């Protein structure tokens, strides 16, 4: 009976996405997706900063949207100027729509990520139930987004590749198990099963004050989410990710992302360049037999995601990884630090790099927050004045050569901004 239910769910997902594959798409930016999943609530209100990020960067999906797609915006009129700029400068052709007009269209919805709260919000905007994944599908997305999925991926990678470069994460269910793991592995990573990127992570230091905080944090996570995922610390050399797209039951490689985190493990900036450039950077970092090892992992993950994820889900999947050094200095890959069942900033940088970056250039993609009364508009205008964009045409396609590229319009109340600073290699 369980097998039959799984087969029926997989068939329903495939029928749902096949039905809407040819429809006009609507992209929407909901970066609070992981927080909504973690809450487990049918109706979730994001914290003020997450809501601000969603508003300020609502036009960001235009950079990876299919030609002619809709972008969901608060007010199409001011954003129409931005849309014309994208069309004139980069040949990006998108239409704009607000929530009040969704009921007039039958669309294929492409959010940053799916959760129950988003589904209910779209239903409240009079979007047809048949245009959205049903409750069982979204429950499956939440199940797959649990960090224990990384354990299964590690196991499957070992089966396919024939070896494991690093210890697999483990799932712990009691406070005593967590304390024993932390005592055995100082500065280990303890992770909440569901949390937003860079959040829900604790690294115990063993000091008395830290021990009290650690016990409170771990007990709270166990009570709310039922377990904790634990990882041994590694001598990290470089964060990166492989980005994939699941479509019609098959996973395919989209590109690489190389990124840098701030001291709080939150996204700082990502490199923007062609796939060839990023692959070369990773090979230079990894050293011996790098090309073979990277491609081996890439193909293995395509197989794993096709078998385990794509039957249930259509959309982007990001697999965060890292290059680390062992005691002898030899470098290895931890091939699954996180799995993100949604779009990511890494997806954005790799698609933008392949579509719009000159092969001879490389950029840094920044997302910054500035508290009031900081004037974000003046800040971005100064960057453009000091380092204006230079666009060249290669085979009649516009490519970024150098300068500052503003990635989303700046509003009068913006607190976040996104931009690329590019230069020739």
């Amino acid at each position: 009976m369980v097998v039959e239910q799984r087969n029926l769910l997989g068939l329903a997902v495939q029928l749902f996405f096949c039905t809407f594959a040819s429809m006009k798409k609507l992209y929407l930016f909901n970066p609070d997706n992981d927080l909504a999943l973690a809450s487990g609530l049918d109706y979730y209100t994001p914290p003020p900063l997450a809501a601000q990020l969603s508003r300020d960067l609502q036009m960001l999906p235009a950079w990876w949207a299919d030609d002619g797609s809709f972008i969901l915006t608060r007010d199409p009129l001011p954003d129409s100027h931005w849309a014309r700029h994208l069309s004139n400068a980069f040949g990006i052709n998108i239409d704009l729509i607000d929530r009040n007009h969704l009921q007039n269209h039958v669309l294929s919805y492409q959010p940053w990520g799916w959760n129950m709260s988003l589904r209910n919000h779209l239903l409240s905007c009079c979007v047809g139930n048949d245009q959205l994944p049903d409750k069982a599908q979204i429950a499956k997305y939440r199940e797959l987004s649990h960090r224990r999925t990384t354990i299964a991926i590690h196991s499957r990678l070992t089966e396919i590749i024939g070896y494991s470069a690093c210890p697999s994460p483990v799932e712990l269910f009691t406070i005593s198990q967590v304390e024993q793991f932390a005592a055995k592995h100082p500065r280990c990573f303890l992770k909440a099963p569901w949390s937003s990127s860079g959040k829900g992570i604790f690294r115990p230091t063993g000091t008395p004050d830290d021990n009290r905080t650690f016990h409170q944090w771990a007990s709270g996570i166990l009570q709310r989410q039922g377990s904790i995922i634990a990882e041994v610390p590694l001598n990290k050399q470089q964060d990166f990710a492989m980005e994939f797209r699941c479509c019609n039951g098959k996973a395919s490689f989209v590109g690489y992302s190389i990124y840098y985190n701030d001291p709080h493990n939150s996204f700082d900036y990502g490199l923007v360049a062609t796939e060839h450039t990023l692959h070369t950077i990773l090979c230079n970092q990894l050293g011996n037999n790098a090309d073979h090892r990277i491609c081996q992992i890439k193909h293995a993950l395509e197989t794993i995601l096709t078998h385990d994820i794509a039957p249930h889900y259509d959309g982007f999947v990001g697999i965060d990884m890292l290059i680390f050094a062992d005691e002898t200095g030899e470098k290895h890959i931890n091939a699954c630090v996180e799995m993100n069942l949604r779009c990511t900033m890494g997806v954005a940088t790799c698609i933008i790099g392949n579509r719009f970056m000159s092969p001879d250039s490389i950029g840094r993609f920044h997302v910054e927050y500035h508290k009031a009364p900081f004037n974000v508009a003046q800040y971005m205008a100064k960057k453009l004045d000091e380092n204006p964009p230079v666009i060249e045409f290669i085979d009649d396609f516009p490519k970024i050569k150098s300068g500052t590229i503003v990635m989303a319009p700046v509003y009068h109340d913006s607190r976040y901004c996104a931009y690329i600073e590019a230069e020739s290699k």
Side-chain angles (χ1 to χ4, degrees):
M1 181 57 122
V2 174
V3 174
E4 289 178 0
Q5 289 176 341
R6 288 177 178 172
N7 289 340
L8 286 172
L9 177 60
L11 179 60
V13 173
Q14 291 184 32
L15 287 174
F16 171 81
F17 288 114
C18 286
T19 302
F20 292 101
S22 60
M23 286 184 178
K24 190 165 184 174
K25 295 179 180 179
L26 180 144
Y27 291 80
L28 64 96
F29 184 57
N30 59 316
D32 61 306
N33 178 70
D34 290 355
L35 295 171
L37 287 177
S39 76
L41 299 174
D42 287 349
Y43 297 90
Y44 169 76
T45 300
L49 286 182
Q52 183 82 41
L53 176 63
S54 179
R55 291 195 301 269
D56 290 352
L57 301 189
Q58 62 187 348
M59 293 290 288
L60 194 60
W63 292 93
W64 60 86
D66 288 352
D67 197 53
S69 297
F70 279 117
I71 304 296
L72 187 65
T73 175
R74 282 185 295 172
D75 187 350
L77 185 59
D79 286 330
S80 63
H81 300 292
W82 178 257
R84 283 197 294 273
H85 159 69
L86 291 180
S87 178
N88 294 333
F90 296 101
I92 297 173
N93 296 305
I94 46 99
D95 293 319
L96 306 177
I97 192 171
D98 62 30
R99 287 167 172 78
N100 295 325
H101 294 87
L102 295 179
Q103 62 190 20
N104 301 328
H105 300 270
V106 178
L107 300 166
S108 171
Y109 285 82
Q110 309 290 318
W112 184 261
W114 278 112
N115 59 77
M116 192 63 72
S117 183
L118 173 62
R119 181 182 188 275
N120 287 327
H121 174 72
L122 292 173
L123 288 173
S124 74
C125 297
C126 299
V127 174
N129 188 68
D130 58 349
Q131 297 179 57
L132 306 172
D134 62 29
K135 292 182 179 181
Q137 289 169 268
I138 291 185
K140 185 64 178 179
Y141 301 163
R142 187 172 189 269
E143 176 191 331
L144 292 171
S145 297
H146 192 291
R147 279 190 165 114
R148 70 164 63 97
T149 301
T150 61
I151 300 173
I153 292 175
H154 271 270
S155 177
R156 294 275 280 120
L157 279 167
T158 302
E159 291 174 8
I160 294 172
I161 295 175
Y163 68 91
S164 178
C166 66
S168 172
V170 297
E171 187 171 11
L172 308 175
F173 298 93
T174 67
I175 191 65
S176 62
Q177 288 177 336
V178 176
E179 290 173 340
Q180 289 170 18
F181 189 95
K184 186 177 180 181
H185 304 286
R187 299 294 293 166
C188 63
F189 288 87
L190 302 173
K191 300 181 177 182
W194 293 282
S195 65
S196 64
S197 297
K199 309 299 182 184
I201 299 175
F202 196 98
R203 299 195 71 185
T205 61
T207 62
D209 287 343
D210 180 75
N211 284 341
R212 285 190 293 271
T213 304
F214 163 47
H215 192 276
Q216 291 173 352
W217 178 87
S219 298
I221 295 298
L222 289 170
Q223 182 178 13
R224 291 190 300 274
Q225 299 191 20
S227 66
I228 287 174
I229 308 301
E231 300 173 10
V232 301
L234 299 171
N235 182 14
K236 182 176 73 174
Q237 307 294 300
Q238 178 66 64
D239 286 306
F240 75 105
M242 292 186 188
E243 314 295 347
F244 299 86
R245 176 68 193 265
C246 293
C247 184
N248 295 329
K250 180 177 171 50
S252 56
F253 180 70
V254 174
Y256 304 103
S257 63
I258 299 176
Y259 59 93
Y260 298 83
N261 289 332
D262 63 22
H264 304 289
N265 285 315
S266 295
F267 178 83
D268 189 7
Y269 68 88
L271 299 185
V272 189
T274 64
E275 181 181 324
H276 173 75
T277 297
L278 297 181
H279 183 82
T280 300
I281 291 172
L282 291 174
C283 287
N284 290 339
Q285 285 265 19
L286 190 56
N288 295 334
N289 207 22
D291 181 75
H292 171 73
R293 287 192 280 169
I294 291 171
C295 290
Q296 187 182 44
I297 290 171
K298 175 172 61 179
H299 295 316
L301 284 171
E302 280 185 322
T303 299
I304 294 166
L305 295 177
T306 294
H307 184 270
D308 297 337
I309 305 298
H312 312 287
Y313 169 77
D314 182 281
F316 291 112
V317 181
I319 305 292
D320 290 349
M321 307 181 181
L322 61 84
I323 295 173
F324 68 96
D326 63 19
E327 297 82 358
T328 69
E330 185 176 355
K331 294 182 180 178
H332 308 274
I333 298 175
N334 179 344
C336 187
V337 177
E338 302 272 346
M339 185 193 78
N340 296 301
L341 200 73
R342 55 172 171 78
C343 193
T344 66
M345 290 302 177
V347 167
T349 56
C350 81
I351 292 179
I352 293 166
N354 283 324
R355 285 186 183 177
F356 301 109
M357 188 64 63
S358 167
D360 300 320
S361 300
I362 191 166
R364 289 186 174 189
F365 174 78
H366 296 269
V367 176
E368 295 179 356
Y369 171 74
H370 299 278
K371 294 182 179 179
F374 188 93
N375 191 312
V376 177
Q378 287 183 2
Y379 173 71
M380 292 311 304
K382 182 179 179 182
K383 281 190 169 294
L384 286 168
D385 184 60
E386 293 175 345
N387 194 17
V390 176
I391 309 297
E392 62 179 0
F393 283 82
I394 301 176
D395 297 328
D396 295 328
F397 288 97
K399 300 289 184 179
I400 300 166
K401 185 175 182 179
S402 62
T404 300
I405 308 296
V406 181
M407 303 305 293
V410 178
Y411 308 106
H412 72 279
D413 58 348
S414 286
R415 302 268 55 90
Y416 286 92
C417 56
Y419 62 94
I420 292 173
E421 290 184 325
E423 60 184 15
S424 297
K425 290 188 286 187

